Amino acid sequence: MTALLENLLDRAPLGVMVRIARIDWTAMSEDEGRRLREFGLMEGCEVTPLHRGSIFSRDPLALTVGRMKVIIRARQAAAITVEPAA
Amino acid sequence: MTGAIPSIALVGNPNAGKSSLFNALTGARQKIANYPGVTVERKAGHASFADGRPLSLIDLPGTYSLTPASLDEAVTRDVVLGKQDGEKRPDALIVVLDAANLDNHLSFALELLALNLPTVVALNMVDLAARDGLTLDAERLSKELGVPVVPTVAVRKRGMAELLAAVDGAIRSHGADEIAAPAEANDASLHQRARTIARAAILSETPVRRWTQRVDNVVLHPVAGMIILLALMFVMFQAVYAAAEAPADFLEGGIGIVQQWVVATFPDNFLRGLVVEGLLAGVGAVVVFLPQILILFLFILLLEASGYMTRAAFLMDGLMGKVGLSGRGFIPLLSSFACAVPGIMATRAIPDEKDRLTTILIAPLMTCSARLPVYALIIAAFIPDTNVGGTPVGLQGLVLFGLYLSGIVGALVVAYVLRRTVAKGAGAGFMMEMPRYQMPRLRDIAIGLWQRAWIFLRRAGTIIAMTTVILWLLLTFPQAPEGESQVEYSVAGRIASGLEVVVAPIGFNHDIALALIPAMAAREVAVSAMATANAIDAGDDEEAMAQSLGERLQGKWSLATALAFLAWFVFAPQCISTIAITRRETNGWKWPMFMVGYLFLLAYAAAGITYWTAVAFGLG
C-alpha cells in the first residue's frame, strides 16, 4: 500500500518526467475530469511536475504536459497514479 | 448563403491569441491579456474581403471544448450551436490554434469541425513556435483536417489577407444543408486523434526553451516567488506616490491658476461661485489624482500582458485555498485594485458558484483606484514626508501599503467566515493553463492606459461633477446671516449635523459627515465634497483660497480623526456602480444588500477601533 501511495502524482518528485498509468475518475467531479482531459492529462501521457505553490501544503501543483504548463490541485493529483517514464 | 453580410466567429482555446487576431482583422481597440477568461463580453467588429465586400466578426470566449465549465464558456457553445438568444448562428468559423500547442488545441478544433460549418483554421503564433524550435507542416495539417489551414502571426498582422481569402472560399464552396449537430464524441478518443494528427503535422521539434523554465524556477518558488510578488506590489505602491508627485503638483497648480483667473475676470455672482467653488474645486480635486491612477494601471496592465498574472495566481492559491477560495479568484481581485466593477465581471471565469459568490462579496475590499484620491489627500496632509529610519522607504508609501494590506487581510477573514456560513460549499478547484512569457506590446499598453484615463475623466466629468454641483447648491442655500458659518447654516450642513450624531463616536467631525453622503455615489466624491465645502468656507479670502485642501484639513482635524477616516474607507461600500454590478451578477438584491450591510458594519467598527486606539495614545 505504501509503495502504491508513493506512485501518486501529488507525491511525485519535482522535475522528473513520469507517465500517467491510471486516473481514478471517480475521485473527482465530472467537470474536473473533463478539464483534466482537456489539458491532455490522460492515461499514457507523460508529464513533469515542476512547482508547488506553497511550502505549507502540496497545493497547487504546476506541471508540463507536452508544451503546455498547467496548474492543478493536489486533490486531483492524488487521483493520478504514475509510473517511471521510459 | 444569404445576401446578408456574412458573420464569422473566432473560436479557440484560451491563450491561442484570439483577441490579437481579432484586433489584427478588425483594427478594433480592446484589451489583450495573457490569462484565460478575460474575453467575457461579446466583442464584435467589421472587416472586409479583398474585393471590398464587408463581413462581421465576433470574438468568442476561449474554451477547451463545447462542454462549458463556466458562464463565459457557455456563451461560446451557445453561439456556435446557434442557441444564443439574439445572436444568429455564424456563417463560418475561424478556429484559432496556438501553433506551439498543437496536440492540445486540436481536440477542440476537431469538435468544432464535426459541426460541419464552413471552417478555416488559423495556425497562430507560428513565429513563437519557431522560436521554440518547432517546425510545422500546414499543408499536411490541412489534408488531415480537411479544411484550409493558414499560418498567421496576429500581433504582426501576418497572414490576415490569406485567412480572409480562405474564409471566403470556404463559405462559397459550402452547401447550406450540410450543417450538422455536434457529434457525441468520446473525449478520450478525440484527444487521441488530435495527438495523432499533431504528430503528423510536426516536422521537427526541439525541447522546450530552457530560459523560461529557469525564470519559472525562481518566480514560482514558494519562498523566492512570494518575496518577488510582495516586492513587486510594494514597488508598485511606492511608485504610485513617488512618480506621480511632479505631474500631480503640475495639475494642481494649473487648476489653481484657472480658479484665480475666473475670480479676477468675472463679477462675483451665482455662476462664478458655481464654477470656482463647485466645478473647479470639486472636480479639480479628483482630476489631480489621474497620474497616480495611471501608474497603478500601468503596473496591472504590464503584469497581465507579460504572463506574470497567472504565476501570481499560482503563488496565491495556497493562501486563498486556506480561506476557501482558489487562485482563480486572484485575477478578479487584483483587477479590483483598479476598480471593483471589472473585477466582479471577471469572476464569471470562476467555475464554482459559491467560490464565485464569495469572490464577488469581497471584491470591494480590494483598494480600488477611487479610494486613492481619499487616501492620497489624507496621507499627504497628516503623514510626514520622511523616510522610515535610515532606509529609502518612504513613510507615506508605507502607510498606503498598510491600507492596501488591511483591505486584503480583511477580505481573507471575511472570505473565511462566508465560506463557513452563507456561502458554504465543497473546496473550490483550481485548474488553469499557464501562458508563456511574452514581451508586453507598447501599443496595447498605451491603448489600455488611454481607456482607463478616459473612463476616469468621464466619471470626473459626469457623476462627480453632478454630485459636486448638487452639493454646492445644498451648501449655498439658504444664505447664512452675517456672522454665521455658511457651511453650518446650509441645507447640507444641517443634514450633516444630523449624521454627525451617529458618526461622532468614531471620531468623525462635521467635515466628514458632510462628505459621506455624496460619497455614496463614488468614493472620490468625498474629496471633491470637502474641497467644495472648504472653498465656500474660504469665500473670497485670497489667502485661504491659495491653501490646498490638505493644508486646510491639517488645521482642523486631529491625527486620530484622520486615521479613523482612512480606516473607514478601507471597508465602506460607497460606490453605486459596484452595488449595481453585484445586483446584475448575482441576479437579485439579496447579495448586494448583504454586501452593503456587512461592509458598513466593518467600516464603522474599524474606524471606531482606530480612533479610540489613537486617542488612547494621545493623538486625539
Side-chain angles (χ1 to χ4, degrees):
Chain A
M1 196 61 204
T2 324
L4 207 65
L5 267 177
E6 276 163 8
N7 288 337
L8 296 177
L9 183 58
D10 68 325
R11 309 266 151 183
L14 298 179
V16 181
M17 187 190 270
V18 290
R19 177 183 293 115
I20 294 179
R22 199 163 41 78
I23 299 179
D24 179 8
W25 300 111
T26 59
M28 60 189 88
S29 76
E30 206 175 303
D31 285 345
E32 287 172 337
R34 190 179 321 104
R35 187 46 44 99
L36 274 191
R37 292 191 288 276
E38 286 164 4
F39 282 164
L41 287 162
M42 279 169 295
E43 278 99 344
C45 86
E46 285 169 346
V47 299
T48 313
L50 283 177
H51 314 278
R52 284 186 217 287
S54 170
I55 42 169
F56 304 111
S57 65
R58 311 191 79 78
D59 260 334
L61 177 71
L63 45 100
T64 55
V65 196
R67 289 179 168 265
M68 200 159 101
K69 196 176 268 189
V70 299
I71 306 169
I72 61 173
R73 280 266 174 96
R75 193 164 50 82
Q76 285 121 25
I80 301 175
T81 311
V82 295
E83 58 192 19
Chain B
M1 254 320 298
T2 55
I5 298 172
S7 88
I8 290 135
L10 288 170
V11 218
N13 288 48
N15 298 317
K18 266 181 328 83
S19 297
S20 310
L21 191 67
F22 180 71
N23 282 351
L25 286 170
T26 61
R29 327 215 130 174
Q30 12 21 51
K31 205 170 89 167
I32 308 172
N34 245 343
Y35 54 84
V38 74
T39 329
V40 173
E41 298 200 298
R42 178 180 188 272
K43 289 205 281 178
H46 286 275
S48 49
F49 293 115
D51 57 10
R53 277 174 302 124
L55 64 128
S56 75
L57 278 163
I58 61 170
D59 184 14
L60 295 175
T63 175
Y64 293 91
S65 71
L66 285 177
T67 315
S70 64
L71 289 175
D72 48 346
E73 296 186 7
V75 170
T76 301
R77 177 201 57 192
D78 291 345
V79 171
V80 298
L81 297 183
K83 287 179 184 164
Q84 180 76 18
D85 285 340
E87 184 78 53
K88 92 182 170 88
R89 194 172 190 190
D91 297 305
L93 301 178
I94 295 177
V95 178
V96 189
L97 301 181
D98 175 2
N101 219 335
L102 210 52
D103 42 357
N104 223 286
H105 287 190
L106 269 174
S107 315
F108 185 33
L110 287 172
E111 211 180 344
L112 290 166
L113 285 172
L115 299 177
N116 208 20
L117 282 163
T119 303
V120 173
V121 169
L123 194 57
N124 199 22
M125 303 197 271
V126 282
D127 58 333
L128 286 183
R131 185 191 79 180
D132 283 353
L134 198 62
T135 319
L136 297 167
D137 186 347
E139 270 173 46
R140 178 69 196 272
L141 188 60
S142 171
K143 226 172 77 190
E144 295 282 347
L145 295 176
V147 296
V149 174
V150 182
T152 56
V153 182
V155 292
R156 302 195 194 295
K157 299 197 175 185
R158 218 180 287 157
M160 296 304 114
E162 293 87 339
L163 187 61
L164 287 181
V167 170
D168 196 17
I171 295 175
R172 282 167 195 276
S173 63
H174 200 278
D177 52 323
E178 296 169 37
I179 295 170
E184 279 298 319
N186 171 339
D187 59 351
S189 72
L190 204 66
H191 291 294
Q192 208 55 54
R193 246 176 77 215
R195 221 180 307 169
T196 313
I197 296 175
R199 289 286 151 254
I202 293 171
L203 292 175
S204 71
E205 183 175 20
T206 56
V208 182
R209 284 273 285 246
R210 290 289 150 212
W211 69 267
T212 54
Q213 188 47 53
R214 276 204 296 273
V215 172
D216 270 348
N217 283 342
V218 181
V219 167
L220 296 180
H221 188 273
V223 179
M226 200 54 121
I227 292 171
I228 292 172
L229 176 60
L230 285 177
L232 266 175
M233 294 185 69
F234 186 77
V235 167
M236 177 163 109
F237 296 129
Q238 287 281 326
V240 162
Y241 258 85
E245 204 178 309
D249 285 349
F250 176 76
L251 279 175
E252 199 166 24
I255 292 162
I257 290 169
V258 175
Q259 271 179 315
Q260 276 160 9
W261 176 80
V262 175
V263 170
T265 314
F266 296 97
D268 185 7
N269 59 20
F270 172 78
L271 207 61
R272 192 186 84 172
L274 180 69
V275 169
V276 173
E277 294 160 357
L279 280 177
L280 285 174
V283 178
V286 173
V287 169
V288 165
F289 298 99
L290 182 63
Q292 298 186 327
I293 285 161
L294 288 185
I295 289 174
L296 184 68
F297 272 115
L298 176 66
F299 273 89
I300 289 181
L301 287 170
L302 285 175
L303 292 183
E304 275 181 3
S306 63
Y308 180 75
M309 205 68 113
T310 312
R311 267 98 188 157
F314 175 78
L315 287 171
M316 293 303 292
D317 181 64
L319 180 62
M320 297 183 69
K322 292 258 189 301
V323 298
L325 297 171
S326 73
R328 268 274 192 202
F330 182 71
I331 293 164
L333 291 178
L334 197 75
S335 305
S336 300
F337 279 110
C339 176
V341 173
I344 287 171
M345 279 162 64
T347 61
R348 289 182 204 166
I350 300 175
D352 183 87
E353 197 190 322
K354 295 287 173 53
D355 184 7
R356 176 166 180 253
L357 177 64
T358 312
T359 310
I360 289 176
L361 290 175
I362 64 168
L365 283 171
M366 300 300 121
T367 302
C368 67
S369 52
R371 284 176 178 98
L372 262 184
V374 182
Y375 288 173
L377 172 75
I378 304 297
I379 289 175
F382 291 92
I383 308 295
D385 185 13
T386 53
N387 287 356
V388 184
T391 61
V393 177
L395 184 60
Q396 294 188 333
L398 194 68
V399 170
L400 185 67
F401 187 65
L403 290 169
Y404 276 81
L405 212 60
S406 315
I408 296 167
V409 172
L412 290 176
V413 173
V414 170
Y416 184 86
V417 173
L418 292 181
R419 286 293 271 160
R420 274 153 193 79
T421 52
V422 294
K424 221 182 285 185
F430 179 49
M431 300 166 91
M432 212 171 167
E433 183 183 337
M434 222 181 257
R436 280 168 299 181
Y437 285 111
Q438 266 177 31
M439 186 55 96
R441 285 171 22 96
L442 191 67
R443 185 168 160 269
D444 295 336
I445 301 292
I447 290 172
L449 274 184
W450 162 247
Q451 286 172 340
R452 307 304 164 164
W454 176 239
I455 291 169
F456 176 75
L457 290 175
R458 204 176 47 195
R459 261 161 74 89
T462 54
I463 301 182
I464 296 170
M466 214 158 69
T467 24
T468 309
V469 167
I470 293 170
L471 181 69
W472 182 82
L473 291 170
L474 290 177
L475 277 166
T476 310
F477 300 102
Q479 292 280 343
E482 203 59 40
E484 286 220 39
S485 159
Q486 173 60 37
V487 170
E488 301 276 341
Y489 194 80
S490 66
V491 176
R494 289 172 207 193
I495 297 174
S497 298
L499 185 66
E500 203 180 345
V501 179
V502 184
V503 295
I506 57 171
F508 284 8
N509 53 31
H510 194 264
D511 273 349
I512 299 177
L514 187 69
L516 286 184
I517 298 170
M520 267 320 290
R523 292 179 179 91
E524 60 265 49
V525 173
V527 171
S528 59
M530 286 192 286
T532 299
N534 272 287
I536 289 176
D537 228 15
D540 289 339
D541 182 349
E542 293 258 342
E543 202 178 313
M545 224 168 86
Q547 273 188 324
S548 75
L549 179 59
E551 285 164 349
R552 291 180 57 80
L553 294 184
Q554 250 169 348
K556 291 161 73 181
W557 295 15
S558 71
L559 182 58
T561 293
L563 293 176
F565 188 60
L566 288 176
W568 170 271
F569 269 95
V570 170
F571 298 100
Q574 300 193 279
C575 175
I576 297 266
S577 322
T578 302
I579 298 167
I581 194 81
T582 305
R583 197 207 73 83
R584 204 180 87 190
E585 294 295 316
T586 59
N587 290 322
W589 280 109
K590 180 182 167 196
W591 293 111
M593 286 299 141
F594 176 81
M595 185 170 92
V596 169
Y598 100 80
L599 285 172
F600 268 132
L601 271 177
L602 278 182
Y604 196 86
I609 290 166
T610 307
Y611 181 71
W612 303 319
T613 310
V615 169
F617 280 95
L619 302 172

